Amino acid sequence: MNIPFLGNRRKKTGAPASFADPEAVADLLAECGLLRSQAVREGVELDDTAVSLEKLDQLVPGWRDDAETLPELGHDAGLYLGTVIVRTVPGAAWAIHAGREPVVRLASGREVDVVQAGLGWAASGVPELSQLYAEVAEG
């Protein structure tokens, strides 16, 4: 994931965010602007819960006809899935590897490529976000 401004991101206190600050990284990855705006238009509240993933799975996928929007929406869906996992599954955390998209590392050490899952969901509906969340939450 190419986020050139990540190193310059500032907290409310004015201090630069760093990779050593997991909460700042989690907040940045949770932004998902396009997905959040799409959800608002559809009346879905993204409140960082598994229920919101179920509601996303039920949306009519009108974005699949827009080749320009599809990848960005899928990327956002993956980051949102990761956000829900990190905020609700004990021991889950974001892992950032140089030159790669962020992944979610579970307490077991397993890494989940949530961005790839989000892209698949946006393109074809598979895997369902709520289904992947349930599999991850079970362990």
Side-chain angles (χ1 to χ4, degrees), residues 14-101:
S18 72
F19 290 118
D21 183 352
E23 190 60 36
V25 171
D27 287 345
L28 176 65
L29 295 175
E31 289 180 1
C32 311
L34 181 60
L35 181 69
R36 289 186 186 277
S37 67
Q38 177 77 29
V40 165
R41 279 195 299 271
E42 298 294 328
V44 174
E45 179 185 358
L46 299 185
D47 58 1
D48 300 347
T49 65
V51 171
S52 65
L53 294 173
E54 293 172 10
K55 291 178 181 177
L56 285 173
D57 287 339
Q58 295 171 10
L59 291 178
V60 174
W63 59 82
R64 289 188 187 140
D65 296 332
D66 185 345
E68 190 174 308
T69 300
L70 181 79
E72 186 178 349
L73 187 74
H75 190 265
D76 278 6
L79 293 179
Y80 182 70
L81 170 62
T83 296
V84 174
I85 294 169
V86 166
R87 292 191 173 158
T88 62
V89 175
W94 286 106
I96 312 276
H97 302 291
R100 291 182 30 209
E101 294 286 349

